Amino acid sequence: MLDSVIYPTNIGIGAAFDSELAYKMAVCIAEECKSFGIHVPNSSLFDMACDPRFGRSEECLSEDPYLASSLCGEIVKGYKDTGTMLCCKHYCAQGAALGGHCGGVTNIGERELHEIHLPSVNKAVKNGVDFIMTSYNDVDGVRCHSNKHILRDILQNEIGFGGVIRADRTGNDFCEDLILAGAQALNAGVMLGLGDKAFTLLELALEKGYTNQSTIDDAVYHILLKKFESGIMDDPYIEEKGQSETYVKSGVSQKTSYRAAAESFVLLKNDGGILPLKQPVKLAVLGEHANSIYPILGDYTPPQNTKAMPTIFDAIRKFSPDAEYTKG
């Protein structure tokens, strides 16, 4: 969202070890979404940090399933207590992709699946998550978008999820025969596409006998049910009265974001009691990202007014005016 408040990445939220803070953060984001007219925000809450090479590690709350599921449950609760629908992603085991390759092969068994990757899913479903987004990887050799075992047998029947299962972006376009791909995803449990072509061809898949009308009707039913529950079928447009600007300017979210950022810092070593720094002190600041904004904002960050944001070097100079910087 343009001009929205930016929070630490999930890995930072996990480092804070504060479930109450995670809940409050979710409430603030949900209130902001409502003021902007966003009915179903997406939140990356299911990926586990299994491999430091995983390119989306910043979206993971933790490598520990107990911590991750605890925070996930509180975040989902925060959205739902605010009356906002939520889509959680990615389902499932994306963080376990071999070699850290997003969307690649995952070499896991049923025990690892249930003990490491499903606790957060269970908490989210228990606390009322509305949409769950599938992931690009495979589980036991079957792509998640066409994996009936994880989508229907586990997610719907075992865990009891009754909401909408949706695809990740172009995730349904997983083979050259897009008509067949769409039917396979639908039959496996995917109900809603995202930027893919395969789900625009379901009429042809029905004609070819790749799927049936009742499966399509079931997917449509789940989507329409959420539309009615959200209220947009009765009142589809939000009247703009400056509520989004008013909420952002209230400063509530900024205070929560600052607290989250402060709590995300973890001090590993403090030899000689160097910290906290005492003035006067002259500091050298090294590293290309220390004097630029976007590399430290995290992924999915919308355009920001960077003139209003200090870089790390700017902040250090306020403490130590003689500090010097080099890219290194």
Side-chain angles (χ1 to χ4, degrees):
M1 298 179 292
L2 294 176
D3 299 321
S4 58
V5 176
I6 304 302
Y7 286 83
T9 56
N10 279 4
I11 204 73
I13 298 300
F17 292 90
D18 191 333
S19 58
E20 180 271 332
L21 173 60
Y23 174 85
K24 187 173 183 179
M25 178 189 72
V27 168
C28 288
I29 296 174
E31 291 287 1
E32 197 170 326
C33 287
K34 288 197 322 187
S35 73
F36 275 87
I38 295 172
H39 295 93
V40 188
N42 296 324
S43 190
S44 298
L45 297 176
F46 292 163
D47 298 336
M48 299 298 296
C50 301
D51 188 329
R53 296 171 295 180
F54 180 45
R56 303 178 75 165
S57 290
E58 76 279 8
E59 295 181 47
C60 304
L61 288 166
S62 176
E63 65 179 345
D64 176 63
Y66 177 78
L67 173 61
S69 62
S70 298
L71 295 174
C72 172
E74 287 301 305
I75 291 171
V76 173
K77 188 174 184 296
Y79 278 95
K80 298 303 296 180
D81 285 353
T82 317
T84 304
M85 289 190 170
L86 178 65
C87 175
C88 285
K89 57 182 188 173
H90 303 86
Y91 181 79
C92 61
Q94 182 170 251
L98 291 179
H101 293 288
C102 181
V105 176
T106 56
N107 186 21
I108 59 174
E110 285 289 323
R111 184 173 69 85
E112 184 177 348
L113 178 67
H114 281 77
E115 291 186 358
I116 304 297
H117 302 283
L118 294 185
S120 292
V121 181
N122 275 282
K123 279 289 182 69
V125 172
K126 180 181 179 181
N127 288 352
V129 65
D130 302 279
F131 291 72
I132 287 180
M133 181 184 290
T134 48
S135 54
Y136 292 121
N137 57 285
D138 72 30
V139 172
D140 197 22
V142 182
R143 289 183 61 92
C144 290
H145 280 73
S146 59
N147 195 322
K148 180 179 178 293
H149 176 59
I150 67 165
L151 297 179
R152 293 199 184 276
D153 297 342
I154 294 179
L155 183 57
Q156 289 184 315
N157 299 334
E158 180 182 322
I159 298 178
F161 179 61
V164 174
I165 302 173
R166 65 175 307 175
D168 203 340
R169 186 166 184 83
T170 68
N172 288 333
D173 296 345
F174 50 77
C175 70
E176 291 185 4
D177 188 344
L178 294 180
I179 300 175
L180 180 61
Q184 287 182 345
L186 179 74
N187 295 338
V190 177
M191 303 167 183
L192 182 64
L194 180 60
D196 56 75
K197 188 175 181 181
F199 259 34
T200 68
L201 303 174
L202 288 179
E203 185 177 2
L204 297 177
L206 183 62
E207 292 176 0
K208 288 178 174 289
Y210 293 162
T211 189
N212 56 65
Q213 189 65 53
S214 64
T215 305
I216 294 176
D217 291 345
D218 181 68
V220 172
Y221 165 79
H222 281 83
I223 296 167
L224 287 178
L225 181 62
K226 289 301 174 184
K227 284 180 175 286
F228 277 102
E229 288 178 358
S230 71
I232 64 171
M233 302 298 282
D234 300 315
D235 187 14
Y237 301 109
I238 294 178
E239 185 177 354
E240 178 56 58
K241 297 180 180 179
Q243 63 268 30
S244 58
E245 184 178 7
T246 299
Y247 182 78
V248 171
K249 287 185 176 180
S250 72
V252 175
S253 289
Q254 287 88 340
K255 290 179 182 178
T256 305
S257 175
Y258 182 88
R259 179 185 161 193
E263 289 195 25
S264 72
F265 283 91
V266 178
L267 180 62
L268 298 179
K269 184 183 288 187
N270 190 19
D271 289 346
I274 295 174
L275 298 176
L277 295 172
K278 300 176 181 63
Q279 292 179 314
V281 62
K282 186 174 182 180
L283 300 173
V285 182
L286 311 176
E288 185 170 356
H289 293 167
N291 201 30
S292 57
I293 288 295
Y294 274 102
I296 62 174
L297 286 179
D299 60 356
Y300 293 108
T301 300
Q304 297 292 304
N305 179 13
T306 55
K307 293 181 180 179
M309 294 182 176
T311 65
I312 294 174
F313 180 53
D314 291 334
I316 288 176
R317 268 199 304 191
K318 290 182 180 180
F319 176 82
S320 175
D322 295 330
E324 295 186 3
Y325 166 78
T326 181
K327 283 186 177 182

